[in-house]
Amino acid sequence: MAATSRKFGRRIAIAALAVVGVLVAIAVAIPLAISSDAAKRAIVDQITYWTGRSFTFEGDARVQLYPYLTVRLRDAVIGNAEGMGDQPFIQMDVMTGKLEILPLLIGRLQFAEFRLANPRINLRTDAEGRGNWIMDGGAIGSQVSKGDKEGGTDELEPPSPFADIDLGRFLVRNGTIRYFDARSRRREQLTEVNLDFNWSSTARAATGSGSFTWRGEPVEFTGGVETPLALAAGGSSPLRIAFTAA
């Protein structure tokens, strides 16, 4: 009986040491696998590639290991479409990306969550009725256009929107959305925008909920977009949304 207990104890000890070894290996590998320069290049290249817009931020990308593995960018800016004025499309005080650990160990940056702090989003419709939120450049526009003509073939790298690209959760905190229509000169503004939505992959729908203030009144909403990338490229998508307001 005592021998059996000793064997069981040794197995537990070996298992515990193995777990500790794995954790130590991960802790050692993470700083080697990711640096601020690597994170900066990956994020800038990915956003620029997909949107066809410039993406900049101030200072260096800040990598944090605790309590989660995150990359933080300050004063991040996504440029506007050509001919849509001098204001950027999106400005944000802080953009934080939460990284998946296992893909990182094989040298791949994969984000599980993005947080946008105090973003200012400038939406605009030009004199011809075209919106600046339409991503007709970059991989989104070119691949959706090609898909309409060729049935969704995929020849670009990284994979096109028709491929199943892992995305994740998106959180917007204390945002502001401004809208201007050059045809009617109409202006609208949403403040205190808070949004939480999940978009697990480019091949799936995006669903979520949130709240904002419009003309001094609070509004809450929930809903989903069936094909978000097609919508961003100027196409159409089924939309389901419900509002609660005064």
Side-chain angles (χ1 to χ4, degrees):
M1 188 70 176
T4 302
S5 298
R6 285 196 297 272
K7 288 181 180 179
F8 181 75
R10 283 199 299 270
R11 289 174 182 173
I12 292 295
I14 291 171
L17 288 173
V19 170
V20 171
V22 170
L23 293 176
V24 170
I26 290 174
V28 171
I30 284 174
L32 299 176
I34 186 170
S35 66
S36 61
D37 286 341
K40 179 166 68 175
R41 286 195 304 271
I43 294 174
V44 171
D45 290 349
Q46 192 71 6
I47 292 178
T48 300
Y49 180 86
W50 284 106
T51 65
R53 310 275 180 91
S54 63
F55 178 70
T56 60
F57 59 92
E58 296 294 328
D60 293 326
R62 182 180 176 187
V63 179
Q64 295 182 237
L65 301 181
Y66 181 84
Y68 304 105
L69 180 59
T70 61
V71 178
R72 176 175 291 190
L73 310 178
R74 292 195 172 275
D75 298 321
V77 175
I78 298 178
N80 217 332
E82 186 176 352
M84 288 292 184
D86 297 330
Q87 286 186 320
F89 180 49
I90 301 177
Q91 292 175 284
M92 47 203 133
D93 290 352
V94 179
M95 175 180 179
T96 303
K98 181 180 175 183
L99 285 160
E100 298 277 13
I101 292 180
L102 292 181
L104 184 63
L105 296 178
I106 59 173
R108 184 162 60 93
L109 290 178
Q110 180 177 318
F111 291 92
E113 180 180 291
F114 282 100
R115 291 176 178 261
L116 311 184
N118 303 319
R120 282 84 68 196
I121 303 171
N122 297 299
L123 304 180
R124 182 185 180 97
T125 300
D126 65 15
E128 284 71 43
R130 184 164 183 80
N132 69 337
W133 56 88
I134 295 175
M135 304 290 174
D136 51 4
I140 293 176
S142 64
Q143 285 297 293
V144 170
S145 175
K146 185 173 70 173
D148 290 340
K149 297 174 182 177
E150 302 175 8
T153 58
D154 183 10
E155 298 173 356
L156 295 181
E157 291 293 340
S160 78
F162 291 101
D164 190 1
I165 308 302
D166 291 332
L167 294 174
R169 185 184 183 194
F170 294 80
L171 299 171
V172 173
R173 292 293 177 260
N174 195 33
T176 300
I177 300 176
R178 299 183 180 94
Y179 173 70
F180 174 68
D181 190 331
R183 300 166 298 177
S184 63
R185 315 304 295 179
R186 175 188 171 192
R187 296 180 185 272
E188 294 287 353
Q189 178 172 283
L190 309 180
T191 59
E192 300 177 313
V193 178
N194 294 290
L195 177 63
D196 182 347
F197 74 93
N198 285 288
W199 190 7
S200 60
S201 76
T202 53
R204 298 187 179 185
T207 60
S209 60
S211 62
F212 56 85
T213 298
W214 178 53
R215 298 184 179 182
E217 295 289 344
V219 179
E220 296 182 355
F221 67 92
T222 183
V225 183
E226 188 169 313
T227 53
L229 284 180
L231 198 64
S236 61
S237 170
L239 173 68
R240 183 186 73 258
I241 191 164
F243 292 98
T244 301

